[in-house]
């Protein structure tokens, strides 16, 4: 056996030498793959009895100028002893790797131990990294660059520990007192960076870290002054990314006035009576200051021809104005950002044109050329793709708030097209890079793609205001969003290695709030469609979800408002009044929920007042039998001053509340002509927003004004109102009917009280016109609707009060 191996090696060496001598084309590419350059570091020598050092695919072979020798080494028939002797001979002529100095090894160890914050060894990596830097700083005679780098690294790691809440948690004793250590690191590092001009880059990084620490310590003004001092101290020779980073940090500090409180602080506080805002709200002065810095950022980028930074500034301007509810200035800022991305849209027609009948298509003139399918711009650059997704979501929110469904439609279609093209995969960790012509790139943290993916369902559901139909898109998007949320909750979220545990907590909290918002959309559309069992079940789920994730205070006012709307639809005025007042009490004054609650309360009191005036003491007849007792101290009339005050609140709160304000003003107006004008304006607003639920109510109110003066006009409006009322609860398929004798009636009657009111008005018109056939048919329909209303009044108290739905 040894003789055979020796002869085989001799034959391989001989064939290799002959091939080298006779080969006219040395094939440099192949030689480059086999024979590395001398600059490639050589692996340390291994012992003669260790075959793994040579057989591993990851082992770098020692360089050699003899291809035959390398072929022999690679030969599987070569013995370990021979390979060891050859390796030792080739390595004797080359110097071995020198050991790293302890300071260099320790200061580089954190980068080797870095893990994402959701990794199971993330805490271990933090502890080891901080320990390594402490040992490095304890070494004598450190060079200034190594010492400055160590102090900066210790400050960065300390801020990650602080942002993750470890220093406030008693379970992590290793993090106790890290705040003082971070302050010491920032001070020492800054002193060294100031003494050595070559370490100027560390000075800027330490200044940003100092501002972050001051913000965490609630020293907001001090943190902003530090950033401003950094910006003013920059020189023209500094890389542009340093100035951009400082300006972006200042914008973030201005739009986020206070750092989020730690969980221990929140638990120690007393429960609040009002719902806190979802995020800290800046003052108007801070908002304008942030817009000024954003303009300076855009001007600087435009002068330097940094187009991506200028685009970022324009999108930031839209984001700041939307967050500050500066709706009057959003459109101009949005148009500028869309122009920078090359986006332009045509408003979708409302309603969409229908296809001509089949007979007209065959016998009539040749049909016109169909309009080409709308194509959308796709983005290959990750930064532009991220900006496009953010801008589209902001524009959809703006036009939904303004009640302009025609402008929402093309932007929503573009957003779905981008998401279908897997655009979120271009920035999986939520970071995008802006390449600058000179100097290093600028890395910007954007909204995490997992949040954007689920937020797209919420934005789509909220933008679709129409609840009429068998499968309304508002309900479809909300249901699919909840299903996707459950599927995505089981998948691991990708984070970068420089993220902190605080970033993980923020993403998880945002995802929890998105699910709560999706449940709220599903509850709202279920109440509109008279699907009360589904609404009550989802209300139970919403309460349990918000309490599980400790975000119930953020949704307490909205949950109370859902209960008020549900009780209002269930003909329970006393309970609805109490829930409206509870929602207004827990909501932040001036917020959308607060205004919606007080407007609902005024509308309910107006209805009760008219019902009392018509029925007297028996006004409770025909309402829910399980309702609470109407408060005795409640005035019998609604004060006009109170109503006009609510109307002023509704102004400027969006298309929906603007239409509600017009309806309420029509109720308070003693003149019929003015009332008709207000109702006409409300109808235009509801139609423009495609809010058919509100449109049905407005049509009924307008028809009531024309019953005795213009019967044909009233009949037309009543027909439309009847269709909308029936569509608010239509079954998913047409075949779902229930037989009743010889006839069949639909299972779902939609909004039964509104449908019965319309049916009674139709019956009056038919009796006035003497149409016996229509009278008999309408009598049957009214009987069915009357039974549905009676079942509604006998419906028990909502299951939310008795416990979980069975």
């Amino acid at each position: 056996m040894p003789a055979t191996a020796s002869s085989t090696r001799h034959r391989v060496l001989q064939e290799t030498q002959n091939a080298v001598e006779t080969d006219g084309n040395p094939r440099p590419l192949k030689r480059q793959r086999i024979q590395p350059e001398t600059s490639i570091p050589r692996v340390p020598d291994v012992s003669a009895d260790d075959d793994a050092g040579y057989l591993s695919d990851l082992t770098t072979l020692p360089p050699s100028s003899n291809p035959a020798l390398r072929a022999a080494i690679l030969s599987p028939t070569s013995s370990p002893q021979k390979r060891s002797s050859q390796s030792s001979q080739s390595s004797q002529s080359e110097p071995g790797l020198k050991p790293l100095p302890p300071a260099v090894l320790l200061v580089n160890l954190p980068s080797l131990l870095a893990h994402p914050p959701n990794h199971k060894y993330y805490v271990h990596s933090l502890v080891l990294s901080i320990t390594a830097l402490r040992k490095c700083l304890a070494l004598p005679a450190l060079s200034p660059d190594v010492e400055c780098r160590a102090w900066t690294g210790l400050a960065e790691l300390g801020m990650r520990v602080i942002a993750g809440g470890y220093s406030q948690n008693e379970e992590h004793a290793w993090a106790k007192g890290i705040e003082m250590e971070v302050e010491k690191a920032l001070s020492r590092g800054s002193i060294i960076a100031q003494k050595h001009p070559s370490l100027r880059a560390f000075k800027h990084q330490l200044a940003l870290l100092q501002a972050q620490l001051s913000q965490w310590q609630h020293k907001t003004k001090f943190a902003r002054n530090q950033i401003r001092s950094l910006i003013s101290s920059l020189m023209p020779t500094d890389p542009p990314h340093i100035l951009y980073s400082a300006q972006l940090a200042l914008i973030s500090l201005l739009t986020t006035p206070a750092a989020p409180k730690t969980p221990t602080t929140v638990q120690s506080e007393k429960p609040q009576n009002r719902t806190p805002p979802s995020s800290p709200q800046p003052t108007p002065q801070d908002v304008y200051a942030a817009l000024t810095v954003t303009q300076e950022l855009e001007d600087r980028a435009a002068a330097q021809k940094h187009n991506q930074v200028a685009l970022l500034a324009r999108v930031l301007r839209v984001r700041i104005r939307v967050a500050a509810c500066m709706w009057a200035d959003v459109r101009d800022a949005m148009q500028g950002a869309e122009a920078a991305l090359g986006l332009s849209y045509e408003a979708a027609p409302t309603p969409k044109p229908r296809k001509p009948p089949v007979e007209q298509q065959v016998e009539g003139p040749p049909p016109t050329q169909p309009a080409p399918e709308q194509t959308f711009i796709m983005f290959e650059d990750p930064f532009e793709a991220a900006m496009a997704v953010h801008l589209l979501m902001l524009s959809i929110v703006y036009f939904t708030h303004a009640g302009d469904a025609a402008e929402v439609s093309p932007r929503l279609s573009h957003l779905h097209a981008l998401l279908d093209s897997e655009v979120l995969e271009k920035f999986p960790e939520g970071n995008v890079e802006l390449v600058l012509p000179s100097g290093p790139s600028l890395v910007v943290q954007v909204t995490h793609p997992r949040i954007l993916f689920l937020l797209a369902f919420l934005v789509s559901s909220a933008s679709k205001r129409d609840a009429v139909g068998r499968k309304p898109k508002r309900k479809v998007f909300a249901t699919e969003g909840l299903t996707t949320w459950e599927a995505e909750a089981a998948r691991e979220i990708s984070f970068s290695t420089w993220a902190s545990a605080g970033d993980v907590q923020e993403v998880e909290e945002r995802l929890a709030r998105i699910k709560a918002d999706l449940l709220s959309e599903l509850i709202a559309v279920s109440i509109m469609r008279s699907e009360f069992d589904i609404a009550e079940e989802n209300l139970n789920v919403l309460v349990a979800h918000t309490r599980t994730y400790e975000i119930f205070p953020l949704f307490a006012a909205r949950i109370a408002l859902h209960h008020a709307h549900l009780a209002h639809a269930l003909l329970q005025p006393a309970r609805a009044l109490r829930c409206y007042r509870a929602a207004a009490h827990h909501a932040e004054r001036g917020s959308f929920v607060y205004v919606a609650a007080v407007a609902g309360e005024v509308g309910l009191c107006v209805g009760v007042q008219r019902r009392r005036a018509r029925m007297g003491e028996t006004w409770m007849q025909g309402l829910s039998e399980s309702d609470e007792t109407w408060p005795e101290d409640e005035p019998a009339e609604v004060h006009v001053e109170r109503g006009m005050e609510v109307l002023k609140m509704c102004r400027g709160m969006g298309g929906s509340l603007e239409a509600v304000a017009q309806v309420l003003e029509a109720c308070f107006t003693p003149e019929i002509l003015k009332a008709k004008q207000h109702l006409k304006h409300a109808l235009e607003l509801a139609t423009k927003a495609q809010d058919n639920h509100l449109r049905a109510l407005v049509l009924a109110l307008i028809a009531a004004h024309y019953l005795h003066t213009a019967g044909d006009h009233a009949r037309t409006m009543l027909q439309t109102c009847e269709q909308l009322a029936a569509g608010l609860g239509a079954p998913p398929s047409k075949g779902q009917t229930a037989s009743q004798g010889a006839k069949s009636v639909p299972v779902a009657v939609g909004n039964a009280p509104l449908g019965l009111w319309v049916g009674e008005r139709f019956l009056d018109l038919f009796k006035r016109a003497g149409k016996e056939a229509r009278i008999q048919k309408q009598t049957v329909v009214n009987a069915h609707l009357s039974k549905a209303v009676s079942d509604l009044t006998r419906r028990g108290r909502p299951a939310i009060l008795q416990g979980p739905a069975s």
Side-chain angles (χ1 to χ4, degrees):
M1 192 68 180
T4 305
S6 177
S7 61
T8 302
R9 289 196 302 272
H10 178 74
R11 185 172 62 255
V12 169
L13 289 173
Q14 187 66 32
E15 292 176 356
T16 304
Q17 292 175 358
N18 295 337
V20 173
E21 294 174 357
T22 59
D23 191 2
N25 183 9
R27 289 175 290 181
L29 294 179
K30 182 177 180 180
R31 185 171 69 249
Q32 184 179 4
R33 292 195 300 269
I34 298 178
Q35 181 178 353
E37 298 294 335
T38 58
S39 61
I40 298 179
R42 183 177 60 85
V43 296
D45 294 337
V46 294
S47 60
D49 56 349
D50 188 4
D51 294 344
Y54 294 98
L55 298 180
S56 174
D57 296 335
L58 299 179
T59 302
T60 304
L61 294 176
S64 175
S65 59
N66 191 348
L69 179 61
R70 294 182 58 83
I73 293 175
L74 292 172
S75 175
T77 59
S78 179
S79 63
Q81 294 81 3
K82 186 68 176 179
R83 291 198 303 268
S84 176
S85 62
Q86 292 172 348
S87 175
S88 61
Q89 293 175 2
S90 62
S91 62
Q92 288 177 358
S93 59
E94 299 178 2
L97 290 177
K98 296 181 180 180
L100 290 174
V104 177
L105 177 61
L106 291 173
V107 81
N108 285 279
L109 194 58
S111 61
L112 302 176
L113 298 175
H115 285 302
N118 56 344
H119 194 274
K120 61 179 180 179
Y121 293 129
Y122 174 70
V123 177
H124 302 75
S125 68
L126 284 179
V127 175
L128 291 176
S129 299
I130 293 176
T131 303
L133 293 177
R134 288 170 178 169
K135 290 183 176 295
C136 176
L137 293 170
L139 296 175
L142 291 176
S143 60
D145 58 338
V146 173
E147 185 178 2
C148 186
R149 183 178 174 185
W151 286 120
T152 305
L154 185 60
E156 290 179 348
L157 292 173
M159 287 306 303
R160 294 185 194 176
V161 173
I162 294 173
Y166 297 114
S167 61
Q168 305 295 319
N169 195 336
E170 297 179 356
E171 297 179 359
H172 299 277
W174 57 271
K176 186 177 181 180
I178 194 69
E179 298 86 355
M180 300 298 296
E181 194 169 2
V182 170
E183 291 183 355
K184 179 182 178 181
L186 292 172
S187 177
R188 294 287 186 87
S190 299
I191 294 175
I192 298 175
Q194 289 177 358
K195 290 182 178 180
H196 298 82
S198 61
L199 303 178
R200 182 176 177 82
F202 289 96
K203 175 184 176 182
H204 303 149
Q205 178 65 12
L206 290 169
L208 293 176
L209 292 173
Q210 180 65 59
Q212 293 180 14
L213 179 62
S214 301
Q215 179 76 352
W216 180 81
Q217 294 173 340
H218 297 278
K219 301 177 182 178
T220 306
K221 293 183 179 180
F222 183 57
R224 296 173 183 177
N225 292 332
Q226 287 176 321
I227 297 295
R228 290 190 175 99
S229 299
L230 172 62
I231 295 176
S232 61
S233 65
L234 293 177
M235 302 174 60
T237 57
D238 290 327
H241 79 282
I242 295 179
L243 175 60
Y244 295 148
S245 300
Q247 288 178 321
L248 292 175
L250 181 57
I251 294 173
S252 178
L253 292 178
L254 290 171
T255 55
T256 309
K261 297 181 180 180
T262 58
T264 55
T265 305
V266 175
Q267 294 175 1
S268 62
E269 290 182 352
K270 297 181 180 180
Q272 299 179 355
N273 292 330
R274 295 188 180 276
T275 298
S278 57
S279 59
Q281 298 298 320
T283 62
Q285 182 180 0
D286 293 339
V287 172
Y288 286 110
L291 291 174
T292 301
V293 179
T294 305
Q295 185 62 45
E296 295 175 355
L297 176 65
E298 182 181 358
D299 295 341
R300 171 81 177 188
Q304 300 292 332
K305 296 184 179 180
H306 297 161
N307 297 329
Q308 289 187 333
V309 180
L311 172 61
L312 175 62
R314 294 190 178 189
V315 177
L316 277 176
R317 185 181 296 108
V318 178
R319 165 68 175 82
I320 294 172
R321 289 180 174 175
V322 170
C325 298
M326 301 172 62
W327 303 111
D329 303 326
V330 172
R331 183 183 289 268
D332 294 337
M334 182 187 60
Q335 291 176 353
E338 289 181 347
L341 280 170
L343 304 178
S344 61
Y345 304 96
E346 294 182 1
T350 307
K352 296 182 178 180
R354 298 181 179 180
K355 296 181 179 179
V358 179
E359 298 79 1
Q360 183 178 352
Q361 294 180 3
V362 177
E363 300 178 358
T368 58
Q369 188 70 18
E373 295 184 0
Q374 190 172 7
T375 57
F376 301 105
I377 300 176
M378 296 298 169
F379 301 92
E380 295 297 332
D381 182 70
F383 170 73
E384 293 182 353
M387 293 298 101
V389 173
H390 283 77
L391 181 60
L392 285 173
M393 288 190 176
L394 291 172
S395 60
I396 291 171
V397 170
Y398 165 70
F399 285 115
T400 301
H401 172 82
D404 195 345
E407 294 289 349
V408 169
S409 182
R411 290 169 174 81
L412 185 62
S413 300
H414 193 182
L415 176 62
H416 290 173
L418 287 176
L419 296 178
D420 293 340
S421 65
E422 299 182 352
V423 69
L424 300 180
E425 298 297 330
K426 298 182 182 297
F427 48 102
E429 296 179 351
N431 301 307
V432 292
E433 182 179 1
L434 287 72
V435 180
L436 302 177
S438 60
S441 301
L442 177 66
V443 179
V444 178
Q445 182 181 6
V446 297
T447 307
H448 198 278
R450 182 69 61 86
I451 296 176
L452 292 175
F453 179 59
L454 294 174
L455 189 61
F457 288 95
L458 177 61
V459 171
S460 302
S461 177
S463 62
K464 296 297 182 180
R465 311 305 302 167
D466 191 5
V468 175
R470 301 188 182 278
K471 294 181 179 180
K473 292 184 178 180
R474 183 177 184 182
K475 183 179 180 180
V476 171
F477 280 124
T479 305
E480 291 298 325
L482 291 171
T483 303
T484 307
W485 193 96
E486 298 295 338
E488 293 293 326
R491 295 178 57 234
E492 185 178 2
I493 305 178
S494 177
F495 289 95
S496 59
T497 55
W498 57 78
S500 65
D503 296 329
V504 179
Q505 297 173 3
E506 182 182 0
V507 170
E508 291 177 350
E509 182 179 349
R510 288 189 178 184
L511 292 177
R513 286 160 53 183
I514 288 176
K515 181 179 179 181
D517 289 329
L518 288 170
L519 286 170
S520 296
E521 290 295 326
L522 187 57
I523 292 168
V525 72
S526 299
I527 295 174
M528 291 180 183
R529 294 175 56 81
S530 301
E531 298 170 350
F532 302 120
D533 293 335
I534 298 177
E536 292 171 356
E537 179 182 357
N538 286 300
L539 265 172
N540 287 330
V541 176
L542 177 59
V543 172
H545 172 75
T546 52
R547 291 194 178 278
T548 300
Y549 287 89
E550 299 181 353
I551 55 175
F552 181 80
L554 297 176
F555 291 87
R558 200 185 310 180
I559 292 174
L561 185 61
H562 286 317
H563 279 294
H565 289 158
L566 179 61
H568 204 155
L570 289 174
L571 308 179
Q572 299 173 353
R575 172 173 169 77
L577 178 65
R578 187 162 64 93
C579 292
Y580 277 131
R581 291 178 175 176
H585 175 73
H586 288 279
E588 183 182 5
R589 186 172 182 86
S591 63
F592 186 90
V593 175
Y594 176 83
V595 178
V598 295
E601 178 186 351
V602 171
L604 175 68
C605 293
V606 169
V608 170
Q609 175 184 340
R610 302 297 171 86
R611 189 177 180 89
R612 276 181 168 180
R614 187 178 73 255
M615 301 178 61
E617 297 296 332
T618 61
W619 68 275
M620 292 292 294
Q621 294 181 1
L623 300 179
S624 177
E625 299 176 359
S626 59
D627 191 18
E628 304 170 0
T629 304
W630 184 264
E632 298 180 357
D633 56 346
E634 186 65 26
E637 296 183 0
V638 181
H639 296 289
V640 179
E641 294 78 7
R642 169 63 174 167
M644 299 308 295
E645 180 182 354
V646 173
L647 295 180
K648 293 180 180 179
M649 295 182 185
C650 294
R651 307 294 186 190
M653 295 298 295
S656 299
L657 287 180
E658 180 69 26
V660 171
Q662 296 293 334
V663 173
L664 293 178
E665 192 165 0
C667 297
F668 288 112
T669 301
E671 300 182 13
I672 296 179
L673 292 179
K674 289 186 177 180
K676 291 181 179 179
Q677 292 176 0
H678 290 303
L679 292 175
K680 181 181 179 181
H681 190 195
L683 181 61
E684 293 175 353
L685 293 174
T687 304
K688 184 179 179 181
Q690 294 185 0
D691 189 352
N692 281 328
H693 181 266
L694 181 59
R695 184 164 168 254
L697 172 63
V698 177
L699 286 172
L701 293 175
I702 295 177
H705 285 76
Y706 290 96
L707 283 174
H708 302 287
T709 57
D712 295 338
H713 187 54
R715 188 183 305 109
T716 302
M717 292 193 172
L718 288 174
Q719 290 174 352
T720 306
C721 184
E722 183 184 32
Q723 295 175 358
L724 295 177
L728 291 170
S733 59
K734 296 182 179 180
Q736 295 185 6
T737 57
S739 61
Q740 185 179 6
K743 300 181 180 180
S744 61
V745 295
V747 174
V749 296
N751 193 320
L754 180 60
L756 179 59
W757 184 89
V758 173
E760 292 175 349
R761 304 291 84 73
F762 267 129
L763 189 60
D764 294 339
L765 292 175
F766 295 150
K767 289 181 178 179
R768 192 185 309 168
K771 298 179 179 180
E772 295 296 333
R774 299 297 298 271
I775 292 174
Q776 295 179 1
K777 183 178 180 180
Q778 191 63 45
T779 303
V780 175
V781 173
N782 290 356
H784 177 70
L785 293 172
S786 179
K787 181 179 182 301
V789 174
S790 299
D791 295 340
L792 187 63
T793 59
R794 291 192 297 268
R795 194 175 186 275
R797 189 179 293 270
I800 188 66
L801 299 179
Q802 301 175 357
S806 58

